[in-house]
Structure formats: structure tokens, C-alpha cells
Amino acid sequence: MKGVILAGGTGSRLYPLTKIINKHLLPVGNVPMICHGIEKFRDAGIEEILIVIGKHSAGLFTELLGSGKEWGVRITYKIQEEAGGIAQALSLAEPIMKTGERFVVLLGDNLFEDSLTPYVQAFHRQTEGARVLLKKVHDPTRYGVPILKDDRIESIEEKPAQPKSDYCVTGIYMYDSGVFDVIRAIKPSTRGELEITDVNNVYSAKGQLAYDILDGWWTDAGTFHSLYQACGRVLNEE
């Protein structure tokens, strides 16, 4: 199983820190943010990793990570030329995937405590569809909120004013290569981007979107507050 880390974007919420450096290269604990996702993949036995990056920081990523040998993995890179949404960034992984091949996707600014191993194993046992990881949060209106039924997600509401659960969909997704057909079929949102929530809702409409709930801490380190929180939690683990 391959891993994909999406590490493009402008990091506008962290400006001016991100004026000259991509947010995924900012330090979290004693290593750059991007390295935490690489370590999670490696520790789950996923050693072939694609990192989708923006063109402005491409040289910095390759200088830091190189081929991945130092980290015990094999890294390749794809350039996302311009912001087009998470699903558009994910579509760049299609050329490296074999038909029917399954893979795990991380948003590069998602930092979390749990090992990916049990969740990847659950996806191996899953006969069809996709799988996402959820986390209970105190402010679900900031996220995609799942409507749950048994072991499946009926649908996901994006940033609802009145959430139907206290859970959010984290930036940890699992798909097979059929996801690229789904991406081609969806339309851009009102902000002109291909949204990952729309992709996941195609699976949920077919009753094929399974989920697990993270046990440990999780944060989207895309704001000053959450970046500070992530640094503290990572340092406390060491």
C-alpha cells in the first residue's frame, strides 16, 4: 500500500510565517511538520510515499527530504501548479497507482497521536469503498461533519451551522484507484475547487464510506493556535 501526503497550499492562515516558506516545513517539535506524516507512514509499514507540493517550495522539500532514504522510505514528488482543492491535488497521484491499488492519504498539516497500523489493517479487510478517520471535537462547525449510521457514514455536511454530530472528518483518508474516476466526475464548488467532501459523499451515497474514530489527540496545525498546540503535544511525547 502506498501513501500520499498533500503538502501544497498557501498557508494563508499562518502568514507571515508562510511568506517565504511552506507551512509544512515549519517546525513541530524537533522536526519539520511534513516529517510527522512520513514517520506515521513508515511506522505503519508504508514505505512508498508520494508528496504533492507547490512549485514555490519544491526545492526546499527536495533538499530536506531527498529520496527519503534518511527516513527509511522512498519518496517521489508531484507539483500542484495552482490551488485547485484537495481532490484536485489527490488526482495527481493517479499515474503512480495501479488499477485496484489501495492507498492512504494524509493532509500534511494533520498531526495525531495514533498509529495508523490498525486503521490500515481495517481498510485491508474492507471489501469495497473508502475509509476515513474521525475525531470528536468541540467545534465541529469548522469541519466536515459526518452523519453516522452503524459502521458507515450516510453523508458529510461541510461546516454546518447546526452539526448533527460532534465528530469531524480528519485529513486522513483511504481509497482504491477508483477514486480517480470519482474525482473526474465531480464539479468544482462555488470557490472553484474540487472538494474532498464531494468525493467522500459519492462513496457515502453508495453506502461505501466506512470510518474509524481516533483515540489519541489530533490537530489540524493550520492556525497559530493549533500549531502551538501541536508543538506542545509532540514535545510532551518525547
Side-chain angles (χ1 to χ4, degrees):
M1 189 177 288
K2 294 185 176 75
V4 178
I5 301 178
L6 304 183
T10 60
S12 58
R13 292 179 296 170
L14 288 171
Y15 192 86
L17 294 182
T18 50
K19 184 175 182 179
I20 58 173
I21 189 170
N22 183 282
K23 71 177 176 181
H24 302 92
L25 298 174
L26 294 172
V28 176
N30 62 351
V31 295
M33 187 187 300
I34 187 72
C35 299
H36 292 280
I38 293 171
E39 290 176 340
K40 290 293 185 183
F41 275 149
R42 181 197 63 206
D43 293 346
I46 298 172
E47 298 179 351
E48 190 168 345
I49 301 172
L50 171 69
I51 303 180
V52 178
I53 55 180
K55 59 185 177 181
H56 299 298
S57 297
L60 295 175
F61 277 99
T62 56
E63 184 176 353
L64 171 67
L65 302 172
S67 68
K69 182 178 179 181
E70 178 184 351
W71 301 91
V73 297
R74 300 180 299 279
I75 297 175
T76 56
Y77 304 89
K78 285 281 187 178
I79 303 294
Q80 186 180 21
E81 295 288 345
E82 56 187 6
I86 293 172
Q88 189 273 334
L90 177 55
S91 71
L92 299 177
E94 184 173 14
I96 73 164
M97 299 298 172
K98 300 174 183 176
T99 301
E101 186 171 28
R102 296 183 174 204
F103 59 99
V104 184
V105 183
L106 298 181
L107 301 188
D109 62 359
N110 272 230
L111 301 168
F112 52 95
E113 182 180 6
D114 291 29
S115 166
L116 285 174
T117 300
Y119 309 120
V120 171
Q121 291 173 342
F123 187 48
H124 271 300
R125 296 190 297 268
Q126 188 174 329
T127 58
E128 61 183 357
R131 197 174 197 93
V132 297
L133 300 189
L134 310 180
K135 184 63 182 175
K136 193 169 187 177
V137 293
H138 70 277
D139 52 352
T141 55
R142 292 182 53 219
Y143 304 100
V145 176
I147 300 173
L148 307 178
K149 183 177 182 181
D150 301 323
D151 62 344
R152 293 287 183 267
I153 295 175
E154 282 195 331
S155 65
I156 300 169
E157 296 180 323
E158 189 64 25
K159 299 179 180 178
Q162 297 181 322
K164 293 183 173 64
S165 77
D166 293 328
Y167 292 94
C168 75
V169 178
T170 71
I172 309 170
Y173 317 101
M174 304 178 195
Y175 302 106
D176 65 19
S177 59
V179 71
F180 301 116
D181 292 328
V182 175
I183 293 172
R184 278 188 284 272
I186 64 172
K187 304 297 183 184
S189 65
T190 54
R191 59 179 185 171
E193 297 187 352
L194 297 179
E195 308 289 352
I196 200 67
T197 294
D198 292 339
V199 171
N200 291 332
N201 273 331
V202 171
Y203 284 99
S204 66
K206 296 187 291 185
Q208 296 179 357
L209 186 59
Y211 68 90
D212 291 295
I213 298 172
L214 290 169
D215 292 322
W217 63 262
W218 165 87
T219 186
D220 166 2
T223 67
F224 289 108
H225 179 67
S226 60
L227 180 61
Y228 174 78
Q229 281 188 322
C231 288
R233 285 167 168 166
V234 167
L235 289 172
N236 284 336
E237 287 183 343
E238 296 174 354

